[in-house]
Amino acid sequence: MWNKLLNLLLLAVTIIIVGITPVASDEDLEQFAVYSKAVSDIKFVVVTDFTQPEIEERVWHMEESDAEVDIYYIADGSRLIKYEDSSGDQITLTAPGEFTQITGFSQVNDTTILLVDSLNHCLKWFDVPSSSTSLAAGSCNSSGHVDGELLTTRFSTPRQVTRNNQDGSLYLSDSGNNAIRLLAGELASTMITLDDSPHGIYYDNRHKQLYVTTTSRFIRINPATNIVTPLIESTTVGFKDGGLNWAQMNSPFEIKKIARYVILVADTLNNRLRVVNTRADTVSSICSSDDEDLTSIDKCNLYQPLSLMRYKSGAVLIGGNSSEMKLLNYVLDRPTPVPFPKPPMKPMKPPTTTSKLLHVIICSQRVTWSV
């Protein structure tokens, strides 16, 4: 008898809990899904009337100056250019023959830039006020894979470098060695070895994640654990839009994160700018070279894009294997607020008609127990 009474009490408590738990309707869930997707969408507009630098070779990398307003630096083949945006004035900082191919650089302080001289297999310091250079790491004209002190270490066709602003360490894509190298203090070490040649590299200082492009892949690395997460899972070179497990790229190079869930990738040999949405797990394309209609964002005629720069607020500048650069304005596509501004509670199975009826009976009736 006691067992029956206990079971009945447990059943009543369970039914009461189910009866009072809020359950999100299908309409609420659908509206929230639309809201979640829309707040991370980006709208792009091609800007056709902007003054650009005079490019001689190809634009491998660009950065806004950390020290001067309205100034940005450009790696144009063997040259490092200082460009003043408002006036259109440009100065070639490096001397002829000083570098073979500058594919990346990083401003380490207000006066010093670390340059990657890729085909010479070394890194060099460049002092902006004096326009002087000095060896920073590796041995120019000598390739290899050696860790240790910066001046005795060896690289093989290094591509790009990115900086951890918190501790000042640098991450280098050592393409010829299929490795990501860490430069910290006076030492260079191999952080991780990949199955493919790394090209572009970008450190997200806010979320402490490293993003890397290889010949066919786009990956994320957690520097604290060296865990590699493929964002583009296909190892086959090609072109496909769609889910991250389906999409393909062809020799992507530079990476630029422009929103928490939105990353731009210069997909060089596909002649496209790819938009990776890590919340929706999708890849889409804009600025293809399939058409001469420059007014269309889908076909703004890119030719082998290599470099991406956040240009002032709400714009991205694209450079590549062409003398013509592209400027895109972008804005977050925030929709009109929907009537469901907060995430719904976890959906639960709605109570059946029988459960609701039993709940009403148990809650409305006064039960007298006799022992």
Side-chain angles (χ1 to χ4, degrees):
M1 180 177 177
W2 285 106
N3 289 338
K4 290 182 179 180
L5 291 175
L6 181 60
N7 290 336
L8 186 57
L9 284 171
L10 290 174
L11 177 62
V13 171
T14 301
I15 294 172
I16 291 172
I17 291 174
V18 173
I20 64 174
T21 302
V23 178
S25 69
D26 291 340
E27 183 180 359
D28 285 340
L29 292 174
E30 183 178 352
Q31 286 186 338
F32 181 68
V34 171
Y35 180 85
S36 297
K37 179 180 184 301
V39 293
S40 63
D41 282 349
I42 300 289
K43 281 186 176 179
F44 294 91
V45 178
V46 181
V47 179
T48 56
D49 57 347
F50 79 102
T51 304
Q52 69 165 59
E54 295 180 6
I55 304 301
E56 291 183 356
E57 297 184 40
R58 62 185 66 175
V59 180
W60 288 96
H61 185 63
M62 302 175 286
E63 281 187 19
E64 284 188 297
S65 171
D66 291 339
E68 300 177 83
V69 179
D70 203 39
I71 297 292
Y72 61 93
Y73 297 104
I74 304 167
D76 172 22
S78 60
R79 304 185 304 167
L80 179 66
I81 297 171
K82 181 180 180 180
Y83 183 77
E84 185 175 353
D85 189 41
S86 58
S87 66
D89 293 338
Q90 70 180 58
I91 302 172
T92 300
L93 299 177
T94 51
E98 198 168 13
F99 294 86
T100 303
Q101 189 178 77
I102 304 171
T103 55
F105 59 84
S106 178
Q107 301 171 74
V108 295
N109 57 43
D110 289 350
T111 61
T112 307
I113 303 174
L114 180 66
L115 300 175
V116 180
D117 195 357
S118 182
L119 297 185
N120 278 334
H121 315 292
C122 61
L123 311 182
K124 294 180 181 179
W125 297 119
F126 183 82
D127 183 71
V128 177
S130 65
S131 294
S132 61
T133 62
S134 60
L135 182 63
S139 176
C140 296
N141 301 314
S142 177
S143 64
H145 191 168
V146 179
D147 288 332
E149 295 182 1
L150 294 179
L151 296 184
T152 60
T153 191
R154 294 292 182 271
F155 309 113
S156 179
T157 322
R159 287 300 190 186
Q160 289 208 313
V161 64
T162 185
R163 188 170 184 264
N164 181 334
N165 293 335
Q166 184 174 3
D167 60 16
S169 61
L170 298 156
Y171 301 100
L172 176 74
S173 56
D174 191 359
S175 183
N177 287 319
N178 289 3
I180 303 299
R181 309 290 288 276
L182 172 65
L183 283 63
E186 298 297 323
L187 298 175
S189 60
T190 300
M191 175 182 161
I192 191 169
T193 301
L194 303 171
D195 297 330
D196 199 0
S197 298
H199 299 307
I201 189 167
Y202 170 78
Y203 183 70
D204 180 358
N205 278 280
R206 182 175 181 181
H207 299 101
K208 298 178 174 58
Q209 297 290 313
L210 193 64
Y211 294 90
V212 177
T213 54
T214 71
T215 302
S216 64
R217 305 178 78 190
F218 178 39
I219 62 176
R220 181 175 59 215
I221 303 173
N222 184 342
T225 61
N226 282 2
I227 292 177
V228 177
T229 303
L231 296 180
I232 299 293
E233 298 181 17
S234 175
T235 58
T236 303
V237 169
F239 170 72
K240 287 180 183 177
D241 277 334
L244 296 182
N245 61 340
W246 167 264
Q248 292 179 339
M249 294 185 178
N250 189 351
S251 296
F253 200 72
E254 200 153 77
I255 308 150
K256 194 61 63 179
K257 190 172 184 180
I258 60 172
R260 183 173 181 182
Y261 299 101
V262 180
I263 306 169
L264 301 183
V265 179
D267 193 358
T268 306
L269 295 187
N270 277 326
N271 299 309
R272 284 172 167 84
L273 182 64
R274 310 297 290 276
V275 183
V276 180
N277 188 321
T278 57
R279 172 148 56 180
D281 290 338
T282 58
V283 179
S284 55
S285 297
I286 57 175
C287 286
S288 74
S289 62
D290 295 341
D291 197 288
E292 295 182 357
D293 180 11
L294 302 186
T295 61
S296 168
I297 186 60
D298 295 324
K299 298 177 180 179
C300 57
N301 203 23
L302 285 183
Y303 177 67
Q304 295 186 356
L306 289 166
S307 55
L308 304 170
M309 185 185 79
R310 291 191 68 170
Y311 178 88
K312 299 181 178 179
S313 176
V316 59
L317 187 62
I318 309 169
N321 201 4
S322 167
S323 60
E324 184 179 7
M325 304 170 78
K326 301 292 181 181
L327 180 63
L328 307 181
N329 283 337
Y330 65 87
V331 293
L332 280 171
D333 184 14
R334 297 189 182 276
T336 303
V338 295
F340 198 81
K342 294 182 180 180
M345 297 184 67
K346 185 176 180 181
M348 297 182 67
K349 184 178 180 181
T352 62
T353 305
T354 305
S355 298
K356 287 183 179 179
L357 180 60
L358 185 56
H359 171 210
V360 172
I361 293 173
I362 291 176
C363 293
S364 62
Q365 296 292 328
R366 183 169 185 174
V367 180
T368 303
W369 308 101
S370 60
V371 181

